[in-house]
Amino acid sequence: MATPRILQNHPYADFLDKVEKPARYTGGEVGSIVKDWDGVQAKVCLAFPDVYDIGMSHLGFKILYKILNDDPRTLAERCYAPWKDVEAELRERSIPLVSLENKRPLRDFDVVGFSLQFELTYTNVLLMLDLGGVPLRSADRGDDDPLVIAGGPTATHPEPLAAFVDLFVIGDGEEKATEVALTWTRLRNEGVPRRERLVALARLGAVYVPSLYRTKVDAETGLEVVEAPIEPGLPLPVIRGLVDLNKYPFPSSSPTGGPEAIFDRVSIEIARGCTEGCRFCQAGMIYRPVRERDPEQVVQTVLDAVRATGNDEVSLTALSTADVSCISPLIKKVADRLAKERVSMSVSSLRAYGLEPELLDELKRVRATGLTFAPEAGTQRMRDVVNKNVTEEQLLETAERVFSRGWDRMKLYSMIGLPTEQDEDVVGIIEMGARTAAVGRKVKRSAEVTVSVSTHVPKPHTPFQWAAMDSLSEVGRKQALLRSTVKAYRSVKLKTHGAEASVLEGIFARGDRRLCDVLERAYKNGARFDSWDDRLRLDVWEEAFTHVGVERAPYLGTLPVTARLPWDHIDVGLEEGFLAREYRKALQSRLSPPCGKVAGTFIHHTNLEDALADKRRLVCYDCGVACDMTQMRNDRVDFLEKLGARRLPIVQEAPAAQGAPAPVEAVAPEADEEQEREPAKAPRREPPMKGRGGHLYRMRFEKTGPMALLGHLDVVRELPRVFRRVGERMVYTKGFHPKPDMVFGPALSLGVMSLDEYVDVRLERMIEQAELDGLVQRMNAACPSGLQFLGAARLGSDDASISRVVAGARYVLAFARSAVKTEPGQRAEDVLEARCRAAMEATTLPIRREIEGIGKIVDVRKYLERAEVGGDEAREALARAGLSGDIVSLDVIVSITGQGAAKSSEVAAVIVGDGNEIPPHRAIRVELFGEAGEGRVSPLELAVLQKARQRPAASAPAQVAAADAE
């Protein structure tokens, strides 16, 4: 049954408001780029095989999005894996999966590029190709089909996807993305057949085209390995690409907004690679050598990113941030610059030793909660096996320093299933956590330690690539041992992860091309989102392995060191024999020192004086990566000089603290510079608002199109970003978790558009009305699609908040004319008019409302003040909201009280529907109004109320009920 469309030109418009998080599919975020489709040479769809919420946080996606869109010859658009509800709608309606920017099917692009971060997203790769109209298998694609490429860490062991991906980019993709796309389209336009185009791409370097290489079965393992190229002159092995990071500055602007991402913050990559040499860590091996971004570039990127995105948190990321050579002065520099606004900073991937008091003091300024460390194992023997250069004494010393500086919590990551592990090593994980908690409770009673334990998966290109993986039964036994041990320690919390997904991950990590058939069979039988515990269907995978006739044991057992492996044709830069030497040392519980440091040191020098004085040789254990140790030392000195870290400051050990560390007050990038350039002016001062300080303003706005498909909490998160983008500082609430001081009008249901919304916000400075008009214009330039500010007014000390002012709302409810049941010769308007009369004459209009599974009866008539067929004003509102077509409408008014209100959908149900089912319709909130004297007044016009409305302010639960009006 047709309904008016909420997004007129979107191919999903007919069903978006029926699915979970519809804004995942609409685009329009601040920072998104929509280029002229016909104005470029090559069109690339960046495809992330997981949901929007996860993919939006991915750093590689942001880098490639900027590189491709900065080049006038190319465009890049985004697409994420659709959730099950959207997949069902697309299949039922035969609609293809489309990109967020130009809403084009994947089949329309020249290149579809997947980011491969995790083996359990492989079925989603097939899902996106299938729904996007691209043939699943490379062999089935014709000359006009897109080039399907993939990159990322799991592209270094690509064989399980070899039948589906045309080309894998190995290593850093910054240089290859544009080169591959333009070469492909140029050759296609010259009439070169598809296979010859693939041959040309395979000769570019750092590119692996599976269809151009033949395989054989290795006699020692029974696994398929790549034997030789089919075409002469193709490389074997394929050598990974490597770039200078400072030639590719990390983007300060990227798409921001939409539904809340898993990591809803500005993340800045400060280094790539790691010096520590942990033997289980694939990233630490394949991203060598360590490359650090210029710290001045990092600082500027942070400032620019906060200004551009409006986010309230910044994260500095690296594989091991504590091992970035200038991390202490860098954090200090960033924290100093983040001085005015309340933007917090987090630092990822800390390790559990070597953190100097100076660094902890800086972290205390920018972290409001706990710290996470990864000792990886519970006993010293196992830490030596994995080459974790840390002792328990160092961990406990770090714990004492952390808790004494006011932190409440520490989380410790460890693994089970490591090579040579014994039961005492498993028990040691809990005992280590207990000793850490005991240290913490000596200095802070509330100290809490959580031990999080995952299952080790042996990964290619690591020293443990030959090791066996624990069986499911063995993992279960060890997890039971952890649970029984932790019962004796009340101060330790234990968190474990399901091992079923880890076993599947292990199979595909060390898999060969025979798994392609298994993967396709599982996908066609319903396997999706296998990394999500509630979506993993082991029965489907069991059937697929059995049907194809592939045994799982060879992928999970011990592999001979002398055998050829399914990923040996990929050269990640490590010399032959290095990994085997490290594996043998692991079996003997022998350590290898971190490279790039002086033997016996845990962190780099944090000041120029010490760095210049230390002339000792840096450790290199000959992994095969050509590191220039002299240049590495010189770069570190240069970085410290740039950051002004000349001497180590005198830092006193902090006494035991009972309060939580204060969050950093962060960036107003231009404020200090402006004060230096211009003498301070003396503005006319007005007493600040009573109580919380600052000055209160009422903002009027509308939300249509994509914004109508955002949940209320997402809108609440977006408004502070808008203020940060325009440089206005908000007042924050007091307490342990300060938040921007804002009060919204009644919330709207998902999919309901509004032409008249209000929010009361408290800003630090006083703004006259003339300047407020300019602020509104600046805010509109910083808003995502569908959010528009319409006006603002300054409130006085006696003005009531918007939650006490709003007395009612007016809605226009739009229905497709064909959806209104009529008798022969009867108009839809006549039917609706009769329904409206009946509703207004009724004494009660009950309807059942369910909230999180709990039902209650709501009497809609109690709130319904007017209901009539829409006239010219309703048609004007429909046009303003972008709704068109053969539509009839209702114009209704409902009251909003401290006891609640009726939803627009409930009004539609009792008037047009049968009182139970909600009829297909679209709702627009046309007006919110307050009351003054005998009339209704816009809340923006209620400039100075002499007193609050006579009814008492709604209690918190009642305000929620009122918000449930929409």
Side-chain angles (χ1 to χ4, degrees):
M1 187 177 295
T3 57
R5 290 179 157 215
I6 195 168
L7 295 170
Q8 283 296 314
N9 299 316
H10 199 292
Y12 304 169
D14 287 336
F15 64 81
L16 270 180
D17 61 329
K18 303 174 185 176
V19 302
E20 181 182 341
K21 294 191 177 181
R24 286 169 169 167
Y25 312 97
T26 58
E29 310 97 327
V30 169
S32 61
I33 300 170
V34 182
K35 297 178 79 170
D36 178 8
W37 182 263
D38 297 319
V40 296
Q41 298 174 31
K43 308 171 186 70
V44 180
C45 180
L46 297 175
F48 195 88
D50 213 322
V51 290
Y52 176 100
D53 318 40
I54 293 176
M56 275 288 284
S57 304
H58 184 243
L59 302 185
F61 234 50
K62 296 179 180 181
I63 292 172
L64 294 178
Y65 190 78
K66 174 177 173 56
I67 289 173
L68 289 165
N69 280 320
D70 280 354
D71 193 316
R73 300 170 296 173
T74 57
L75 68 73
E77 303 193 358
R78 297 165 295 141
C79 187
Y80 302 91
W83 195 238
K84 56 184 179 181
D85 50 0
V86 171
E87 179 191 352
E89 294 284 354
L90 295 179
R91 292 192 187 281
E92 180 181 344
R93 301 164 187 266
S94 298
I95 298 175
L97 181 66
V98 300
S99 62
L100 292 185
E101 282 78 5
N102 269 304
K103 315 300 185 290
R104 302 297 288 251
L106 270 61
R107 62 172 175 255
D108 288 358
F109 287 85
D110 302 310
V111 178
V112 176
F114 285 95
S115 178
L116 302 180
Q117 302 299 309
F118 189 36
E119 293 84 357
L120 297 188
T121 62
Y122 288 176
T123 51
N124 286 356
V125 172
L126 272 58
L127 171 68
M128 297 178 74
L129 290 174
D130 193 9
L131 293 177
V134 180
L136 285 186
R137 290 190 173 246
S138 302
D140 297 329
R141 293 177 196 138
D143 283 350
D144 294 330
D145 285 316
L147 173 72
V148 177
I149 70 175
T154 72
T156 61
H157 45 280
E159 294 306 295
L161 278 175
F164 312 105
V165 174
D166 294 317
L167 174 156
F168 292 89
V169 174
I170 309 300
D172 298 332
E174 284 90 339
E175 288 180 345
K176 288 299 171 186
T178 304
E179 183 182 17
V180 166
L182 291 174
T183 301
W184 177 259
T185 54
R186 176 178 59 80
L187 293 175
R188 183 199 59 199
N189 294 340
E190 292 172 359
V192 176
R194 186 181 187 90
R195 190 175 188 281
E196 292 181 28
R197 279 181 260 159
L198 290 173
V199 172
L201 293 176
R203 293 195 170 112
L204 294 178
V207 167
Y208 169 55
V209 180
S211 63
L212 301 180
Y213 293 79
R214 63 174 177 267
T215 64
K216 69 175 184 179
V217 174
D218 182 77
E220 290 189 79
T221 63
L223 302 180
E224 280 191 10
V225 298
V226 171
E227 181 181 25
I230 297 172
E231 292 285 334
L234 298 186
L236 186 70
V238 177
I239 301 173
R240 56 107 185 232
L242 195 67
V243 301
D244 178 352
L245 293 187
N246 289 313
K247 292 182 180 178
Y248 296 92
F250 194 85
S252 59
S253 178
S254 60
T256 303
E260 184 179 18
I262 298 298
F263 300 106
D264 195 20
R265 62 180 73 113
V266 174
S267 292
I268 307 294
E269 180 193 44
I270 60 175
R272 194 174 295 177
C274 181
T275 61
E276 296 305 285
C278 296
R279 291 168 178 145
F280 58 84
C281 180
Q282 186 188 66
M285 298 294 167
I286 67 175
Y287 288 122
R288 296 180 176 214
V290 172
R291 289 151 290 160
E292 298 183 8
R293 293 188 184 275
D294 186 307
E296 286 188 330
Q297 184 188 104
V298 170
V299 173
Q300 191 59 49
T301 299
V302 169
L303 302 181
D304 291 344
V306 169
R307 184 187 302 122
T309 67
N311 280 83
D312 63 355
E313 183 176 352
V314 172
S315 175
L316 303 183
T317 68
L319 285 176
S320 181
T321 47
D323 294 304
V324 173
S325 64
C326 57
I327 188 63
S328 290
L330 176 61
I331 287 176
K332 184 178 188 306
K333 183 90 170 189
V334 172
D336 287 344
R337 295 300 303 270
L338 302 182
K340 302 298 182 183
E341 302 293 330
R342 289 180 179 266
V343 176
S344 64
M345 183 169 70
S346 61
V347 181
S348 70
S349 305
L350 285 168
R351 51 165 170 68
Y353 63 93
L355 297 183
E356 291 187 341
E358 179 195 13
L359 177 56
L360 286 171
D361 286 338
E362 291 301 333
L363 288 175
K364 188 177 73 170
R365 296 175 61 197
V366 298
R367 289 295 295 271
T369 54
L371 291 177
T372 299
F373 300 100
E376 308 298 357
T379 64
Q380 192 59 48
R381 186 189 72 82
M382 283 308 301
R383 285 191 287 274
D384 292 347
V385 168
V386 303
N387 205 41
K388 196 75 177 179
N389 282 273
V390 58
T391 66
E392 186 161 315
E393 289 73 21
Q394 291 160 342
L395 171 62
L396 297 181
E397 179 186 359
T398 299
E400 192 277 333
R401 288 177 171 179
V402 166
F403 287 119
S404 69
R405 281 167 168 76
W407 275 282
D408 293 305
R409 298 187 293 278
M410 279 183 69
K411 181 179 284 188
L412 303 178
Y413 278 114
S414 289
M415 288 183 287
I416 55 174
L418 292 161
T420 78
E421 183 178 68
Q422 303 296 321
D423 281 359
E424 53 263 34
D425 301 309
V426 177
V427 171
I429 294 172
I430 301 298
E431 294 174 343
M432 172 190 64
R435 288 189 288 271
T436 305
V439 167
R441 296 203 171 195
K442 286 181 181 179
V443 296
K444 191 173 181 65
R445 286 185 179 181
S446 60
E448 178 184 297
V449 172
T450 299
V451 175
S452 181
V453 184
S454 59
T455 302
H456 173 246
V457 177
K459 288 296 181 84
H461 306 294
T462 71
F464 290 166
Q465 65 183 358
W466 296 281
M469 183 173 177
D470 275 358
S471 65
L472 272 177
S473 60
E474 180 64 0
V475 172
R477 187 188 70 80
K478 290 179 179 179
Q479 289 182 340
L481 181 58
L482 289 168
R483 287 191 289 270
S484 64
T485 304
V486 80
K487 291 178 181 178
Y489 302 101
R490 293 184 178 179
S491 58
V492 178
K493 294 182 178 181
L494 172 67
K495 184 177 180 181
T496 60
H497 305 272
E500 293 85 358
S502 296
V503 170
L504 189 61
E505 177 189 351
I507 292 171
F508 276 88
R510 301 203 294 185
D512 56 15
R513 289 195 189 181
R514 293 178 300 176
L515 292 181
C516 293
D517 293 338
V518 177
L519 179 65
E520 185 173 11
R521 176 79 178 183
Y523 162 70
K524 290 186 174 178
N525 285 338
R528 310 279 193 278
F529 292 96
D530 302 291
S531 60
W532 296 61
D533 290 342
D534 60 342
R535 296 287 289 159
L536 178 60
R537 294 183 55 185
L538 290 177
D539 58 325
V540 169
W541 285 103
E542 292 276 357
E543 191 278 338
F545 279 104
T546 301
H547 178 84
V548 176
V550 172
E551 293 292 330
R552 284 158 281 183
Y555 303 106
L556 299 173
T558 302
L559 299 175
V561 175
T562 55
R564 290 210 55 220
L565 301 173
W567 52 90
D568 276 352
H569 56 293
I570 304 298
D571 183 351
V572 297
L574 303 174
E575 74 174 11
E576 188 174 355
F578 168 70
L579 295 178
R581 292 197 302 272
E582 284 295 300
Y583 184 38
R584 293 187 184 100
K585 290 174 74 172
L587 298 180
Q588 298 166 10
S589 303
R590 291 172 53 202
L591 281 168
S592 292
C595 61
K597 297 179 183 176
V598 173
T601 60
F602 298 119
I603 62 171
H604 299 291
H605 294 298
T606 60
N607 66 94
L608 196 60
E609 186 175 48
D610 290 344
L612 290 172
D614 193 343
K615 305 297 184 182
R616 293 174 293 173
R617 186 171 62 90
L618 302 181
V619 170
C620 174
Y621 50 80
D622 299 322
C623 67
V625 175
C627 294
D628 185 335
M629 293 296 183
T630 301
Q631 186 63 44
M632 188 180 293
R633 191 191 292 270
N634 292 340
D635 285 345
R636 291 170 184 167
V637 169
D638 182 46
F639 290 164
L640 290 170
E641 191 166 18
K642 286 182 176 181
L643 291 171
R646 299 190 172 276
R647 291 183 177 82
L648 184 67
I650 297 174
V651 179
Q652 308 231 346
E653 284 291 340
Q658 297 303 313
V664 71
E665 298 211 339
V667 77
E670 299 173 343
D672 293 339
E673 298 171 9
E674 288 174 356
Q675 289 173 7
E676 291 174 4
R677 286 197 301 266
E678 299 180 9
K681 297 179 181 179
R684 182 176 68 83
R685 295 189 177 275
E686 178 173 300
M689 299 298 296
K690 295 178 181 178
R692 297 190 293 270
H695 302 272
L696 193 61
Y697 304 88
R698 181 161 296 155
M699 317 290 294
R700 180 179 175 226
F701 63 96
E702 67 178 25
K703 50 193 291 281
T704 59
M707 285 300 296
L709 296 170
L710 271 182
H712 179 66
L713 292 180
D714 291 314
V715 177
V716 171
R717 278 187 289 270
E718 184 60 31
L719 258 63
R721 291 184 185 133
V722 175
F723 282 109
R724 291 188 197 100
R725 290 174 196 136
V726 299
E728 286 297 336
R729 298 174 188 163
M730 304 183 73
V731 173
Y732 278 65
T733 61
K734 309 299 181 184
F736 190 74
H737 292 294
K739 298 182 183 299
D741 195 335
M742 303 183 297
V743 179
F744 283 78
L748 285 164
S749 293
L750 202 64
V752 177
M753 293 180 279
S754 180
L755 306 179
D756 196 40
E757 290 298 292
Y758 296 88
V759 59
D760 290 351
V761 298
R762 201 175 291 272
L763 303 178
E764 286 189 4
R765 71 186 184 101
M766 190 187 73
I767 307 173
E768 297 289 357
Q769 188 62 47
E771 189 181 353
L772 274 177
D773 296 338
L775 173 61
V776 167
Q777 293 179 16
R778 289 191 292 123
M779 290 173 67
N780 284 333
C783 283
S785 177
L787 178 62
Q788 185 85 1
F789 284 86
L790 306 174
R794 184 159 56 90
L795 301 181
S797 299
D798 295 327
D799 281 326
S801 73
I802 189 67
S803 62
R804 299 179 69 180
V805 165
V806 172
R810 178 182 168 207
Y811 295 90
V812 171
L813 309 180
F815 306 85
R817 182 179 297 275
S818 59
V820 180
K821 295 180 180 179
T822 60
E823 298 295 332
Q826 190 179 33
R827 296 185 314 146
E829 287 85 350
D830 298 333
V831 173
L832 293 183
E833 185 176 351
R835 296 283 187 92
C836 289
R837 260 195 323 270
M840 296 306 298
E841 291 169 0
T843 57
T844 181
L845 293 170
I847 191 170
R848 178 182 173 84
R849 178 188 296 174
E850 286 202 12
I851 302 175
E852 296 182 353
I854 300 175
K856 70 173 184 178
I857 300 300
V858 175
D859 185 1
V860 176
R861 184 63 188 89
K862 177 180 175 182
Y863 305 104
L864 186 62
E865 295 187 6
R866 187 184 82 185
E868 59 188 35
V869 175
D872 290 341
E873 289 186 0
R875 282 187 285 274
E876 182 182 340
L878 291 170
R880 186 173 153 196
L883 296 182
S884 61
D886 195 7
I887 296 172
V888 290
S889 65
L890 296 182
D891 193 332
V892 301
I893 292 177
V894 297
S895 62
I896 298 174
T897 72
Q899 289 70 46
K903 296 183 179 184
S904 60
S905 58
E906 293 167 343
V907 174
V910 297
I911 296 179
V912 180
D914 60 3
N916 294 307
E917 295 294 325
I918 298 172
H921 73 289
R922 297 291 181 221
I924 308 168
R925 187 147 78 190
V926 177
E927 178 187 3
L928 281 173
F929 56 82
E931 293 179 352
E934 298 299 320
R936 295 180 175 129
V937 182
S938 161
L940 203 62
E941 296 172 1
L942 296 172
V944 182
L945 294 178
Q946 296 303 315
K947 59 181 180 178
R949 298 179 65 231
Q950 293 302 312
R951 62 181 173 84
S955 64
Q959 287 185 20
V960 171
D964 280 342
E966 281 307 337

